[in-house]
């Protein structure tokens, strides 16, 4: 804060120029009230009301207003003497006339008086300096005249203007206070009426009312526009309302004019970092980097959506110091503001269509997720991916009621299977996102439907489950009579078939071939199974086309390319027409039967692929349809469930740890240095990569990166050898600490060696110079640490010592054992640094030993406490028992 002089007309300020001129600034004597009054009278300042001016603690008076005799310059600083009063001022002429004694004023007013310059006039161009009155009477008279003088008291007009200004300010403040009270009253009426208004508009569902019950007593600041950032409660309320009822959210934002955030702001709240729930922007940044390097492989992808049931269990994450298990939608609405325990986890994974990669981009901890809320989360993810330049051609999921309702809310139409709309588009976008259901799950549902209904009518005849059941029974009978000479005709016919392996999926081509051959052998239980064989073959061929995995396979299981595109499109069209002709035993269309909606998923997949495959092949050489399967995410989720070896539901912490391991294995997130997102071991080959607990069919998009996992077992030969050299690892830590305390470069180089080891497995490169050279601890340093470790264990096992003297005793024992042997290879540097019996050799021994002792201090305390506890328990249990004789 700048310091200025408080005297009238003085322009001195505490600057460099003032210090060069020798001007000093002094405080007012606040501790001496009598002297302070004298200073106030000498300065002759008054307030606007005529009262004598009172200085504040920050105001100063410069040295120009004191005589030279008032200062004590004997010390290093220039100080005021005790009881000195400022006397050098330059006041206006009228003030000097008013402050002069009565006799002086009369003389100055008399015309016969000799012409003398008045106190305020200049003499030879120099203003005359007035001296303050010295006696007490003059001081009192000066104070009275000071208060009544026109210079210090404003005129009446000025006072009137100030009064009017203060009155206007008071009226304005009263008006603002009244308006604030009215706004508060209206807001108090608005809070309960919001639910009533939404109820009248039919915008609140019972489920949403239950979820918003905790916001029934919403504080007023929730409806006030935030100055800088929304609070946690505001974020939770806005996200909950927007996810579960965007119509009500839009009504409150546009009609009621509540300051609710925009969709882009909500999407920012859903983002997260490292392994926390939400849209992981670390994965997105890594994918963007890959897309920039190779756009054809990383631009087009499929979004896989799946949910997993988790235990309602709260776990404390010690690494990030937080509770895991609450409902958590991202960084903007974390568990700090939610008290609901999550029961499900929604996971979103991105799978490359042209490239061989996949990556989990988001997961959320949720409870009782509705189709509307799931739709909003998927839309937020699609918007974020679209904004970053990714082309999401399809959204893959399992087909159940919630997912079907979500697709309907997105814009798909599944009501009429003959006129399906299996795609949707984002607002203000013409790009189509096709919906694809799990093919294997649909095939299983068809098998269950056929088993329950028993028969289905087709153009080729009646499709019966009894044929498949007879085949399974015949197989069991043949297995029981193996080696017997007396076989029935049916079993004999079955034994003539080639070796057939009946897989779990009974609607496979293997079963169709077995039924066809048994029919050719004229087995009575299989007579007339032509329609069943045809049905099984059509379903199996469709499954092969929609789940092609390898580019080396030919036929239906091979990839779709420009050569076979038309053929496979014809097969898909024929299969679609065949499924639409299936009827029940009552001649009702199968797709219209509520219990036979299983074929709806196949019809949706056929429609999506028929529109999608020609578009994809415009830019790609081939398409593997398995890239659109939810199996990629199922494998990951099943690995989490089987990680602990039990059949219980995994906890939220299990899922978080799995995501953490996967991100670390991909190199997206460094567990040891979060600021460094991508690291790798240059000396580890591809075969020695850190293994992942959940090995995927598709490789990670970040294969070249790898990272150590703290809770993982390594099978790498190189890493195992490195981790066995614990003494090198500990010595490296000691050397790093010693470098910060050593000033001698010769001693620094003595602690490390720059020679490259003959075998990398025998040492761990812990030190690195500025120019990039690798170093390891020297042999002498390792020997000193090993000696200290040996003596430490000897002292703990066989001796008693005090904690205060433990480091000194350990240094003494190490010095006694190693002595003056030149283990650091200092050579003539030892003699050059000798000072009595001391030299740098012994100083290095003491320094390394003391640093190692500090490293092991916690272990020493723990062992000592355990020994003391054991001795105390032994003393209690071995306390002698005194037997007293009653006769004594």
């Amino acid at each position: 804060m700048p310091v200025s002089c408080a005297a009238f007309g003085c322009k001195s300020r505490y600057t460099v120029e003032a210090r060069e001129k020798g001007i000093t600034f002094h405080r007012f004597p606040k501790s001496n009230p009598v002297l302070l009054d004298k200073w106030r009278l000498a300065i002759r300042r008054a307030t606007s009301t005529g009262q004598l001016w009172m200085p504040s603690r920050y105001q100063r008076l410069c040295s120009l207003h004191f005589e030279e005799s008032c200062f004590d310059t004997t010390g290093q600083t220039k100080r005021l003497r005790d009881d000195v009063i400022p006397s050098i001022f330059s006041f206006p002429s009228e003030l000097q006339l008013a402050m002069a004694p009565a006799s002086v004023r009369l003389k100055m007013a008399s015309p016969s008086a000799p012409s003398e310059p008045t106190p305020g006039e200049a003499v030879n161009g120099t203003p005359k300096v007035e001296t303050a009155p010295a006696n007490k009477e003059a001081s009192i008279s000066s104070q009275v005249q000071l208060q009544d003088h026109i210079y210090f008291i404003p005129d009446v007009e000025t006072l009137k203007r100030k009064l009017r200004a203060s009155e206007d300010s008071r009226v304005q403040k009263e008006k603002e206070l009244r308006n604030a009270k009215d706004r508060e009253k209206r807001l108090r009426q608005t809070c309960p009426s919001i639910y009533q208004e939404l109820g009248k508009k039919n915008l609140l569902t019972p489920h949403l009312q239950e979820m918003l019950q905790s916001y029934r007593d919403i504080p007023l600041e929730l409806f006030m526009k935030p100055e800088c950032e929304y609070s946690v409660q505001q974020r939770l309320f806005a996200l909950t309302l927007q996810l579960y009822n965007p119509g009500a959210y839009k009504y409150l934002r546009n009609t009621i004019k509540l300051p609710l955030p925009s969709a882009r702001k909500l999407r920012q709240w859903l983002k997260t970092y490292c392994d926390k729930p939400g849209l992981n922007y670390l994965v997105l940044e890594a994918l963007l980097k890959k897309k920039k390097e190779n756009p054809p492989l990383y631009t087009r992808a499929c979004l896989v959506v799946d949910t997993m049931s988790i235990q309602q269990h709260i776990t404390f994450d010690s690494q990030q110091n937080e509770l895991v298990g609450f409902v958590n939608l991202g960084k903007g609405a974390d568990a700090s503001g939610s008290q609901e325990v999550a029961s499900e986890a929604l996971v979103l994974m991105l799978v490359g269509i042209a490239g061989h990669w996949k990556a989990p981009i988001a997961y959320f901890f949720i409870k009782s997720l509705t189709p509307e809320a799931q739709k909003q989360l998927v839309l937020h993810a699609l918007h974020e991916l679209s904004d970053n330049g990714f082309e999401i051609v399809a959204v893959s999921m399992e087909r159940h009621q919630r997912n079907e309702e979500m697709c309907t809310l997105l814009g798909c139409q599944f009501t009429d299977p003959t006129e399906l709309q299996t795609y949707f588009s984002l607002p203000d976008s013409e790009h189509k996102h096709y919906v694809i259901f799990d093919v294997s799950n649909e095939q299983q549902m068809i098998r269950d439907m056929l088993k329950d209904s028993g028969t289905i009518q087709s153009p080729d005849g009646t499709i019966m489950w009894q044929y498949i059941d007879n085949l399974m029974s015949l197989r069991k009978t043949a297995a029981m009579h193996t080696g017997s000479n007396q076989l029935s005709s049916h079993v004999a016919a079955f034994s003539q078939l080639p070796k057939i392996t009946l897989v779990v999926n009974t609607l496979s081509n293997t079963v169709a071939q077995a039924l066809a051959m048994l029919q050719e052998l004229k087995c009575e239980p299989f007579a007339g199974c032509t329609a069943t064989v045809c049905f099984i073959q059509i379903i199996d061929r469709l499954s092969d086309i929609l789940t092609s995995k390898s580019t080396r396979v030919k036929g239906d299981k091979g990839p779709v390319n420009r050569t076979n595109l038309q053929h496979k499109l014809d097969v898909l069209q024929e299969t679609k027409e065949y499924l639409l002709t299936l009827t029940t035993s009552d001649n009702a269309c199968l797709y219209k039967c509520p219990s036979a909606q299983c074929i709806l998923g196949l019809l949706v997949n056929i429609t999506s692929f028929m529109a999608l495959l020609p578009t994809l092949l415009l830019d790609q050489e081939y398409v593997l349809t398995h890239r659109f399967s939810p199996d990629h995410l199922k494998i990951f989720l099943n690995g989490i469930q089987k990680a602990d070896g039990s059949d219980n539901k995994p906890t939220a912490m299990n899922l978080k740890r799995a995501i953490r391991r996967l991100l670390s294995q991909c190199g997206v997130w460094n567990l040891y240095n979060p600021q460094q997102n991508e690291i790798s071991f240059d000396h580890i080959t591809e075969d020695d990569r850190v293994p992942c607990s959940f090995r995927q069919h598709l490789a990670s998009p970040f294969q070249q990166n790898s990272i150590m996992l703290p809770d993982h077992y390594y099978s790498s030969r190189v890493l195992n050898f490195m981790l066995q050299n614990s003494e090198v690892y500990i010595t490296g830590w000691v050397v790093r600490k010693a470098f910060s305390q050593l000033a001698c470069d010769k001693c620094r180089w003595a602690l490390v060696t720059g020679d490259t080891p003959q075998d990398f497995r025998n040492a761990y490169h812990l030190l690195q110079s500025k120019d990039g050279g690798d170093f390891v601890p020297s042999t002498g340093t390792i020997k000193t640490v090993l000696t200290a470790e040996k003596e430490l264990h000897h002292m703990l096992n066989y001796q008693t010592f005090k904690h205060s003297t433990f480091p000194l005793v350990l240094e003494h024992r190490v010095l006694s054992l190693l002595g003056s042997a030149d283990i650091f290879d200092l050579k003539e540097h030892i003699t050059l640094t000798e000072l009595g019996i001391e030299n740098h050799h012994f100083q290095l021994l003491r320094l390394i030993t003391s640093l190692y002792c500090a490293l092991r201090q916690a272990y020493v305390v723990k062992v000592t406490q355990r020994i003391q506890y054991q001795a105390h328990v032994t003393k209690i249990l071995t306390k002698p028992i005194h037997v007293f004789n009653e006769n004594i």
Side-chain angles (χ1 to χ4, degrees):
M1 180 177 181
V3 177
S4 302
C5 182
F8 174 80
C10 185
K11 299 181 180 179
S12 299
R13 292 175 61 87
Y14 185 72
T15 60
V16 177
E17 293 78 5
R19 291 198 301 270
E20 292 177 355
K21 294 179 181 180
I23 300 176
T24 57
F25 291 80
H26 305 277
R27 299 176 183 269
F28 284 83
K30 290 278 189 177
S31 59
N32 191 346
V34 177
L35 183 60
L36 178 61
D37 291 340
K38 294 180 180 180
W39 280 43
R40 294 166 61 194
L41 291 173
I43 293 177
R44 303 179 187 177
R45 288 185 60 177
T47 62
S48 59
T49 59
Q51 300 295 327
L52 192 61
W53 173 77
M54 173 63 72
S56 66
R57 59 175 180 172
Y58 301 107
Q59 290 175 315
R60 304 288 187 270
L61 202 63
C62 70
S63 58
L64 297 179
H65 306 288
F66 296 90
E67 298 179 355
E68 292 295 334
S69 60
C70 297
F71 295 99
D72 182 6
T73 58
T74 57
Q76 295 181 355
T77 59
K78 187 177 181 181
R79 293 176 291 117
L80 288 174
R81 299 182 184 273
D82 296 337
D83 299 332
V84 297
I85 302 173
S87 57
I88 304 175
F89 297 98
S90 178
F91 296 115
S93 58
E94 60 272 15
L95 180 60
Q96 296 181 18
L97 179 62
M99 295 300 298
S103 57
V104 176
R105 292 200 303 272
L106 290 175
K107 291 181 179 180
M108 295 175 64
S110 176
S112 59
S115 178
E116 295 180 0
T118 60
E121 296 178 350
V123 179
N124 296 330
T126 304
K128 183 177 180 180
V129 179
E130 181 70 11
T131 304
N135 52 18
K136 184 176 182 180
E137 292 78 4
S139 299
I140 297 175
S141 176
S142 300
Q143 182 177 359
V144 175
Q145 295 173 4
L146 176 65
Q147 295 176 356
D148 296 337
H149 200 274
I150 192 172
Y151 175 80
F152 294 98
I153 301 177
D155 56 0
V156 177
E157 295 297 330
T158 303
L159 293 177
K160 286 182 178 180
R161 287 196 301 271
K162 291 185 178 180
L163 180 60
R164 285 195 297 269
S166 61
E167 287 293 331
D168 294 341
S169 177
R170 180 184 62 80
V171 172
Q172 181 66 22
K173 295 298 182 183
E174 290 179 352
K175 182 178 179 180
E176 292 177 359
L177 179 61
R178 184 169 59 254
N179 293 337
K181 291 182 178 180
D182 293 341
R183 286 195 301 270
E184 183 178 354
K185 184 178 179 180
R186 288 195 300 269
L187 287 175
R188 287 176 178 174
Q189 296 175 354
T190 302
C191 287
S193 66
I194 286 178
Y195 296 94
Q196 299 174 4
E197 187 69 21
L198 292 177
K200 293 178 182 179
K201 298 290 184 180
N202 295 326
L203 294 176
L204 275 182
T205 61
H207 182 267
L208 183 58
Q209 286 181 350
E210 182 181 356
M211 295 196 65
L212 295 179
Q213 187 65 30
S214 58
Y215 302 99
R216 174 66 66 177
D217 299 327
I218 301 176
L220 294 179
E221 62 267 14
L222 186 63
F223 297 101
M224 298 173 61
K225 190 172 183 179
E227 297 180 358
C228 56
E229 187 59 46
Y230 290 88
S231 64
V232 176
Q233 192 175 12
Q234 284 177 314
R235 295 196 295 267
L236 285 173
F237 174 78
L239 276 173
T240 303
L241 185 60
Q242 198 273 340
L243 289 179
Y244 288 88
N245 198 331
Y249 186 87
K250 184 178 180 180
Y251 175 76
L252 292 178
R253 190 169 187 266
N254 298 335
T255 306
I256 304 297
K257 300 299 182 182
L258 290 183
L260 297 175
S262 62
R264 185 177 295 274
K265 187 68 175 179
L266 293 175
R267 198 155 58 247
Q268 293 296 326
W269 292 347
L270 292 176
K271 288 186 178 181
T272 187
Y273 59 94
C274 60
D275 59 340
K276 294 185 177 180
L279 286 168
N280 199 313
Y281 69 83
L282 287 181
V283 177
L284 292 178
E285 289 179 355
L287 286 173
L288 285 174
K289 182 178 178 181
K290 296 292 182 180
K291 187 169 76 71
K292 185 177 180 180
E293 296 174 355
N294 196 342
L297 296 183
Y298 290 92
T299 300
R300 188 173 289 172
C302 172
L303 181 65
V304 183
V305 181
D306 198 0
T307 56
M308 179 180 64
S309 298
I310 59 176
Q311 298 182 27
Q312 290 186 305
H313 180 72
I314 305 299
T315 310
F316 179 73
D317 188 357
S318 58
Q319 292 190 7
Q320 298 181 359
N321 195 25
E322 65 178 2
L323 293 174
V324 178
F326 291 106
V327 173
N328 198 332
L329 299 176
K331 184 179 179 182
D334 55 6
S336 61
S338 175
Q339 298 300 325
E340 291 186 325
V341 183
S343 59
E344 289 181 311
L346 177 66
V347 187
L348 281 71
M349 177 176 284
L350 211 60
V351 181
I353 301 301
H356 195 67
W357 61 271
K358 61 182 176 181
I361 62 169
Y363 75 98
F364 307 94
F365 291 139
I366 52 181
K367 181 181 180 182
S368 62
L369 188 67
T370 62
E372 184 63 52
Q374 182 172 326
K375 166 201 167 186
Q376 295 299 323
L377 290 175
V378 172
L379 284 179
H380 284 305
L382 290 175
H383 276 292
E384 188 65 28
L385 293 171
S386 178
D387 293 344
N388 287 281
F390 292 97
E391 182 183 351
I392 309 302
V393 297
V395 179
S396 179
M397 67 195 79
E398 285 190 1
R399 190 174 65 87
H400 49 74
Q401 182 178 1
R402 184 168 64 190
N403 285 344
E404 283 189 28
E405 294 181 6
M406 181 193 70
C407 295
T408 303
L409 293 173
L410 287 170
C412 299
Q413 295 181 5
F414 300 150
T415 306
D416 187 2
T418 59
E419 296 181 1
L420 293 172
Q421 179 177 333
T422 62
Y423 65 88
F424 64 92
S425 300
L426 296 177
D428 302 329
S429 176
E430 297 180 355
H431 180 71
K432 297 179 180 179
H433 307 281
Y434 288 89
V435 174
I436 295 177
F437 294 123
D438 187 7
V439 178
S440 60
N441 187 49
E442 296 298 324
Q443 193 173 7
Q444 185 72 16
M445 292 175 64
I446 289 179
R447 184 191 69 84
D448 296 339
M449 182 270 299
L450 180 60
K451 183 177 181 181
D452 295 337
S453 62
T455 60
I456 298 176
Q457 299 297 327
S458 70
D460 301 323
T462 304
I463 304 170
M464 299 178 60
W465 175 260
Q466 188 64 38
Y467 296 123
I468 301 175
D469 198 9
N470 292 339
L471 181 64
M472 301 293 291
S473 302
L474 186 62
R475 179 177 178 273
K476 293 179 181 179
T477 305
M480 293 175 58
H481 293 82
T482 302
S484 177
N485 295 328
Q486 297 180 355
L487 297 176
S488 64
S489 60
H490 306 319
V491 177
F494 185 84
S495 61
Q496 296 178 12
L497 297 177
K499 185 176 181 180
I500 299 176
T501 303
L502 296 179
V503 294
V504 177
N505 183 13
T506 54
L507 300 183
S508 63
N509 192 38
T510 305
V511 176
Q513 291 178 0
L515 292 176
M517 295 182 69
L518 287 173
Q519 184 183 14
E520 292 178 1
L521 294 174
K522 299 181 179 180
C523 295
E524 183 178 353
F526 302 97
C529 64
T530 303
T532 305
V533 172
C534 181
F535 174 78
I536 295 176
Q537 289 177 344
I538 290 175
I539 297 298
D540 184 70
R541 182 176 59 178
L542 178 63
S543 177
D544 291 341
I545 294 175
L546 300 184
T547 57
S548 58
K549 299 180 180 179
S550 176
T551 58
R552 296 185 295 270
V553 180
K554 305 297 182 180
D556 293 335
K557 293 184 178 181
V560 182
N561 50 41
R562 297 183 180 93
T563 304
N564 59 16
L565 173 62
Q566 189 59 44
H567 169 70
K568 294 197 175 184
L569 290 179
D570 295 338
V571 172
L572 293 178
Q573 181 63 30
E574 293 175 1
T575 305
K576 181 179 180 179
E577 294 175 356
Y578 175 81
L579 293 175
L580 291 175
T581 58
L582 297 178
T583 60
T584 62
S585 58
D586 299 334
N587 292 327
C589 294
L590 186 62
Y591 61 83
K592 293 182 179 179
C593 182
S595 61
Q597 285 291 318
C598 53
I599 65 171
L600 178 63
L602 294 180
L603 293 175
V604 170
N605 288 350
I606 292 173
T607 306
S608 296
F609 276 110
M610 289 181 65
L612 190 59
L613 290 176
T615 306
L616 296 178
L617 289 177
L618 294 176
D619 302 325
Q620 299 179 211
E621 295 181 1
Y622 62 89
V623 176
L624 294 175
T625 54
H626 186 259
R627 301 288 175 86
F628 301 92
S629 174
D631 290 345
H632 307 296
L633 189 53
K634 282 184 179 181
I635 295 173
F636 174 69
L637 298 181
N638 291 337
I640 300 174
Q641 294 176 346
K642 298 177 182 178
D644 55 354
S646 63
D647 295 333
N648 298 330
K649 295 180 181 178
T651 62
M653 192 63 189
N654 296 138
L655 176 59
K656 186 176 180 180
R657 286 173 177 170
I659 294 292
R660 181 184 303 170
R661 285 193 291 265
L662 185 58
L663 295 180
S664 302
Q665 189 267 342
C666 295
V668 177
W669 181 47
N670 187 348
L671 293 176
Y672 301 102
N673 186 10
Q675 285 76 23
Q676 185 179 0
N677 292 334
E678 296 183 3
I679 65 172
S680 60
F681 293 108
D682 297 333
H683 299 282
I684 300 179
T685 62
E686 186 69 17
D687 296 333
D688 294 321
R689 184 177 305 281
V690 179
C692 180
S693 299
F694 313 106
R695 183 66 64 184
Q696 308 289 315
H697 289 303
L698 296 182
S700 167
F702 320 105
Q703 290 186 5
Q704 69 273 21
N705 298 322
S706 183
I707 188 170
M708 292 178 59
L709 304 178
D711 54 349
H712 199 85
Y713 292 98
Y714 294 91
S715 60
S716 170
R717 174 177 53 86
V718 177
L719 285 178
N720 286 336
F721 274 99
M722 289 192 296
L723 295 177
Q724 288 176 0
N725 293 278
S726 58
E727 68 278 1
V728 182
Y729 185 90
I730 297 174
T731 307
W733 184 92
V734 174
V735 171
R736 283 199 298 267
K737 293 293 182 180
F739 271 14
S740 62
Q741 302 183 23
L742 285 175
C744 179
D745 292 337
K746 184 67 175 178
C747 295
R748 285 172 176 250
W749 283 104
L751 298 181
V752 296
T753 175
D755 299 331
T756 304
Q758 296 180 357
D759 189 359
F760 179 77
R761 294 171 296 178
N762 296 331
Y764 195 91
H765 286 214
L766 295 174
L767 305 175
Q768 190 173 15
S769 62
K770 293 183 179 180
D771 57 355
D774 293 328
F775 299 89
V776 295
S778 63
T779 306
T781 311
I782 298 175
K783 184 176 181 180
T784 305
V785 170
L786 291 178
T787 305
E789 175 71 9
K790 178 180 177 181
E791 293 303 314
L792 182 144
H793 282 282
H794 186 271
M795 293 171 62
L796 291 176
N797 294 331
Y798 302 104
Q799 294 186 8
T800 58
F801 54 89
K802 297 181 180 180
H803 288 285
S804 58
T805 60
F806 177 79
L808 297 177
V809 175
L810 183 61
E811 290 179 15
H812 172 72
R813 297 180 68 89
V814 171
L815 288 172
S816 301
L817 291 174
L818 297 180
S820 59
D822 189 12
I823 59 175
F824 299 106
D825 196 20
L826 294 176
K827 298 179 181 178
E828 67 274 8
H829 185 68
I830 298 178
T831 58
L832 295 176
T833 57
E834 284 185 353
L835 182 62
I837 60 174
E838 293 289 335
N839 53 53
H840 283 191
H841 169 76
F842 294 114
Q843 291 179 7
L844 285 179
L845 290 177
R846 290 194 183 94
L847 177 61
I848 295 174
T849 306
S850 63
L851 292 175
Y852 178 78
C853 184
L855 172 64
R856 303 286 281 170
Q857 184 66 32
Y859 172 78
V860 173
V861 172
K862 182 179 180 180
V863 173
T864 305
Q865 291 177 353
R866 185 182 63 189
I867 294 174
Q868 293 176 354
Y869 176 77
Q870 292 176 352
H872 179 66
V873 173
T874 303
K875 183 178 179 181
I876 294 176
L877 297 178
T878 58
K879 184 176 181 180
I881 301 176
H882 299 281
V883 180
F884 296 90
N885 191 350
E886 296 180 355
N887 297 326
I888 297 179

